[in-house]
């Protein structure tokens, strides 16, 4: 119980550190709310890949009728959600690596990858995307951080001004390199934020889906300045 409270509190403190961080982290849910209103008039189904603490479910369960399947390999997150939410008839969570079970899934109306694909190396990311493309779905929504250009400069140096530990992966020099798109000066991307480039993901997605790019401030910010990038994918 103590561990559960600490993890939930730490995650809430990280995303709700200030009005700015709360606003930025909430952007994906603003976009998702709009997406749902435009595409799902009746009851629908959701597959949430790397669901964490099932924040999508917690935010939208009282607003819409949907059947929710969460895939979460982190055992602590799984245990918390299984204990708190699994009594609800429209909620189910599976503890597994998505690449191991995705072939057994029949697809869902709405598939989510929220703040997940930046933590997956390129080869595995490509494998997962190819398999998702074979599933039946209406919309596939992805949210990732923008780790290059003016956006990373603003995020990393801005986080220091508000005492927000966002830039722990970066040295000051690495932030400057990322600001000027010096990929060659940064270590290869593995499973963290550093040297993750959203355009690489965009190119991969375009091979398999029709893709719409969304940015912060209800799509008003130019790509280079948007702290996060979202993709709304439809089947070809």
């Amino acid at each position: 119980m103590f561990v559960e409270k600490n993890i939930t509190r730490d995650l809430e403190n990280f995303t709700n550190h200030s009005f700015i961080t709360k606003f930025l982290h909430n952007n994906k849910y603003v976009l998702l709310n709009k997406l749902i209103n435009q595409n799902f008039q009746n009851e629908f189904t959701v597959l949430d890949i790397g669901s964490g603490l099932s924040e999508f479910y917690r935010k939208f369960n009282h607003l819409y009728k949907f059947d929710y399947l969460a895939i979460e390999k982190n055992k602590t997150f799984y245990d918390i959600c299984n204990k708190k939410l699994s009594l609800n008839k429209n909620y189910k969570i599976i503890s597994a690596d998505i690449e191991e079970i995705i072939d057994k899934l029949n697809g869902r109306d709405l598939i989510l990858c929220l703040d997940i694909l930046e933590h997956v190396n390129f080869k595995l990311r490509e494998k997962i995307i190819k398999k998702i493309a074979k599933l039946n779905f209406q919309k596939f929504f992805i949210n990732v951080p923008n780790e290059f250009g003016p956006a990373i400069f603003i995020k990393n140096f801005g986080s220091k001004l508000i005492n927000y530990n966002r830039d722990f992966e970066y040295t000051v020099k690495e932030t400057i390199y990322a600001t000027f798109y010096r990929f060659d000066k940064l270590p290869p991307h593995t499973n963290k934020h550093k040297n993750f480039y959203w355009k690489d993901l965009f190119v991969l997605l375009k091979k398999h889906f029709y893709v719409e790019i969304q940015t912060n401030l209800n799509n008003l910010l130019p790509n280079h300045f948007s702290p996060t990038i979202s993709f709304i994918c439809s089947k070809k």
Side-chain angles (χ1 to χ4, degrees):
M1 179 66 70
F2 179 74
V3 172
E4 175 184 321
K5 287 183 178 179
N6 278 351
I7 289 175
T8 305
R9 184 194 64 225
D10 289 346
L11 184 61
E12 288 176 348
N13 287 343
F14 186 72
T15 57
N16 299 328
H17 179 272
S18 67
F19 167 78
I20 296 173
T21 58
K22 185 176 182 179
F23 177 79
L24 293 177
H25 280 283
N26 195 55
N27 181 72
K28 57 182 173 287
Y29 298 112
V30 173
L31 294 175
L32 276 166
N33 191 50
K34 183 178 179 181
L35 176 68
I36 292 169
N37 278 316
Q38 291 176 342
N39 294 275
F40 303 105
Q41 301 301 319
N42 302 309
E43 189 170 353
F44 58 98
T45 56
V46 179
L47 171 62
D48 194 348
I49 299 172
S51 56
L53 292 174
S54 296
E55 192 172 358
F56 174 91
Y57 182 87
R58 297 171 191 264
K59 284 183 177 292
F60 289 108
N61 187 44
H62 67 291
L63 296 175
Y64 301 102
K65 290 184 178 180
F66 58 86
D67 182 71
Y68 179 90
L69 174 60
I71 309 296
E72 178 52 60
K73 70 176 182 178
N74 183 292
K75 189 177 185 305
T76 301
F77 288 169
Y78 168 81
D79 288 342
I80 291 172
C81 293
N82 192 45
K83 177 182 177 182
K84 295 289 187 181
L85 301 173
S86 287
L87 290 177
N88 298 335
K89 291 183 179 180
N90 68 333
Y91 182 91
K92 182 179 179 181
I93 186 168
I94 299 173
S95 179
D97 286 315
I98 185 61
E99 65 271 19
E100 295 176 359
I101 67 166
I102 194 168
D103 292 328
K104 301 174 184 178
L105 301 175
N106 295 321
R108 294 269 163 145
D109 295 322
L110 176 61
I111 299 178
L112 306 175
C113 277
L114 306 180
D115 304 305
I116 290 299
L117 292 179
E118 68 271 22
H119 298 295
V120 179
N121 68 60
F122 187 85
K123 288 185 177 180
L124 180 55
R125 190 189 315 157
E126 185 174 27
K127 179 181 178 182
I128 292 171
I129 294 299
K130 285 182 178 179
K131 290 190 173 187
I132 290 175
K134 296 178 181 179
L135 297 178
N136 293 319
F137 68 90
Q138 291 187 44
K139 295 295 178 182
F140 176 26
F141 185 94
I142 301 164
N143 187 78
V144 293
N146 189 352
E147 298 294 315
F148 280 96
I152 194 64
F153 183 89
I154 295 168
K155 287 197 292 186
N156 282 2
F157 285 105
S159 66
K160 293 183 181 299
L161 295 177
I162 61 173
N163 196 30
Y164 177 59
N165 190 26
R166 191 265 165 209
D167 64 331
F168 59 91
E169 291 181 31
Y170 290 82
T171 65
V172 172
K173 186 180 290 186
E174 286 172 335
T175 295
I176 299 300
Y177 287 147
T179 300
F180 291 98
Y181 297 92
R182 292 301 306 271
F183 305 93
D184 57 310
K185 295 292 186 179
L186 297 169
H189 176 259
T190 53
N191 60 356
K192 297 185 182 296
H193 286 206
K194 192 189 301 181
N195 216 3
F196 171 81
Y197 192 33
W198 67 266
K199 285 191 176 181
D200 289 336
L201 176 59
F202 175 63
V203 171
L204 175 60
L205 292 172
K206 286 280 286 184
K207 292 180 181 179
H208 302 282
F209 314 102
Y210 297 113
V211 185
E212 177 185 352
I213 297 174
Q214 298 281 315
T215 63
N216 287 84
L217 296 181
N218 199 23
N219 214 30
L220 292 176
L221 277 184
N223 295 343
H224 296 295
F225 289 88
S226 183
T228 59
I229 302 292
S230 297
F231 304 102
I232 299 175
C233 302
S234 305
K235 290 185 74 71
K236 285 188 173 180

